[in-house]
């Protein structure tokens, strides 16, 4: 199974649902539809309406984040995995570099992953090195540490997906070389096999993915799908990525 996950970030109002309706119409008729899952993560304000609308449809709705406490708490503006589940959300991103840079430490992320899984959400756990770490050639160590600090054997790996997003690539139009990317994905899968003592969860690539460069990425067979930011705000661009992947 491949994954095409759109991350809307701070984008979208109620009528933006039309973008997702067009994506859903494409996916539900696509001859390759059984080979992949299309998921989009709109902001919190839209989760309930969108989840209800797409409940019985092909497209799946996820959240961009969740809070590290269960059920209800006195944390202003926080939304728990329990609350997400209650409005029909199926997936949540955890550890996006935007949130890491705003203070999400490994310990916080560990708690988020644990609580999201406990509430039957599927977790898309994001990891990635920054520009300096890449320059200093510490990428492999950084990624391994990000994984081992948060994921552990006792977690249900069937409900975990890992998204590799080099921070320097997000929103920049820059992408890793195919050789680097292939080696990195293999390194991530090997690290995950050590943690879970078996098969690795799916590993996605994210960072400036578009309808053109997906033709390069699809040659790297170890990549199980994509986390798509900018291009997910346009139905045409998102659909082009899926189309060109299977072309
Ligand atoms: P981008 O964002 O596709 O716009 O680079 C990816 C992400 O941040 O998830």
């Amino acid at each position: 199974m491949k994954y095409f996950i759109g991350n809307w970030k701070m984008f979208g109002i109620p009528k933006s649902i039309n973008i997702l309706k067009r994506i859903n119409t494409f996916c539900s008729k696509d001859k390759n539809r059984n080979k992949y899952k299309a998921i989009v993560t709109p902001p919190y304000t839209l989760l309930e309406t969108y989840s209800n609308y797409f409940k019985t449809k092909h497209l799946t709705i996820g959240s961009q984040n969740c809070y590290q406490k269960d059920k209800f708490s006195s944390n202003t503006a926080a939304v728990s995995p329990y609350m997400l589940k209650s409005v029909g959300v199926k997936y949540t991103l955890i550890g996006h570099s935007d949130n890491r840079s705003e203070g999400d430490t490994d310990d916080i992320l560990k708690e988020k992953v644990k609580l999201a899984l406990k509430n039957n959400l599927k977790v898309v756990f994001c990891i990635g090195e920054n520009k300096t770490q890449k320059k200093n050639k510490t990428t492999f160590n950084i990624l391994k540490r990000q994984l081992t600090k948060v994921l552990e054997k006792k977690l249900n790996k069937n409900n975990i997906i890992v998204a590799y997003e080099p921070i320097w690539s997000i929103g920049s139009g820059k992408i890793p070389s195919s050789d680097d990317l292939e080696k990195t994905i293999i390194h991530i899968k090997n690290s995950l096999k050590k943690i879970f003592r078996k098969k690795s969860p799916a590993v996605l690539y994210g960072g400036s993915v578009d309808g053109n460069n997906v033709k390069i990425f699809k040659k790297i067979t170890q990549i199980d799908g994509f986390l798509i930011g900018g291009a997910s705000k346009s139905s045409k661009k998102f659909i082009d990525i899926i189309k060109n992947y299977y072309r």
Side-chain angles (χ1 to χ4, degrees), residues 7 9 96-98 165 169-172 206-209 227-231:
N7 173 14
K9 310 189 186 183
H96 190 282
S97 60
D98 288 345
E165 297 203 301
S169 170
I170 296 174
S172 69
S208 295
V209 176
L227 183 52
I228 303 152

Side-chain angles (χ1 to χ4, degrees), residues 186-200:
I186 290 171
H187 168 73
I188 293 168
K189 288 199 166 174
N190 286 338
S191 307
L192 287 166
K193 278 182 207 158
K194 275 194 196 126
I195 295 171
F196 292 110
R197 316 262 157 79
K198 260 211 227 130
K199 249 184 80 195
S200 160

Side-chain angles (χ1 to χ4, degrees), residues 89-205:
V89 167
K90 302 269 167 47
Y91 285 76
T92 184
L93 307 183
I94 290 178
H96 190 282
S97 60
D98 288 345
N99 306 120
R100 287 180 188 261
S101 69
E102 282 161 4
D104 273 8
T105 60
D106 292 327
D107 287 344
I108 290 174
L109 296 174
K110 191 167 184 165
E111 205 52 30
K112 290 188 178 195
V113 170
K114 192 181 92 187
L115 292 174
L117 293 172
K118 183 181 163 207
N119 285 280
N120 289 316
L121 295 172
K122 292 191 197 289
V123 168
V124 181
F125 181 58
C126 307
I127 58 171
E129 83 284 5
N130 64 29
K131 204 168 148 187
T132 315
Q133 291 160 342
K134 177 180 161 62
K135 213 171 91 199
N136 295 339
K137 299 198 182 340
T138 53
T139 299
F140 276 25
N141 286 338
I142 296 292
L143 297 177
K144 191 167 185 178
R145 206 182 66 207
Q146 289 174 337
L147 291 170
T148 50
K149 289 270 181 193
V150 175
L151 303 180
E152 50 188 333
K153 187 175 176 278
K154 67 172 189 218
L155 299 174
N156 180 1
K157 78 166 171 36
N158 296 324
N159 286 344
I160 298 172
I161 294 170
V162 169
Y164 168 56
E165 297 203 301
I167 299 169
W168 51 269
S169 170
I170 296 174
S172 69
K174 296 195 184 98
I175 56 166
S177 73
S178 293
D179 193 42
D180 276 357
L181 185 53
E182 178 168 28
K183 284 186 183 134
T184 310
I185 299 282
I186 290 171
H187 168 73
I188 293 168
K189 288 199 166 174
N190 286 338
S191 307
L192 287 166
K193 278 182 207 158
K194 275 194 196 126
I195 295 171
F196 292 110
R197 316 262 157 79
K198 260 211 227 130
K199 249 184 80 195
S200 160
V203 178
L204 319 184
Y205 169 75

Side-chain angles (χ1 to χ4, degrees), residues 35-88:
K35 297 182 186 157
Y36 63 86
K37 267 195 92 57
I39 302 158
V40 173
T41 65
Y44 287 138
T45 45
L46 303 172
L47 288 176
E48 182 173 9
T49 5
Y50 285 19
S51 294
N52 277 332
Y53 182 85
F54 290 104
K55 204 178 198 160
T56 55
K57 308 271 193 302
H58 202 84
L59 187 83
T60 302
I61 297 298
S63 171
Q64 296 170 20
N65 200 358
C66 64
Y67 198 67
Q68 63 272 19
K69 282 194 187 163
D70 210 1
K71 281 210 149 168
F72 304 134
S73 73
S74 54
N75 298 87
T76 305
V79 177
S80 68
Y82 171 79
M83 291 157 77
L84 293 172
K85 189 68 189 176
S86 78
V87 296

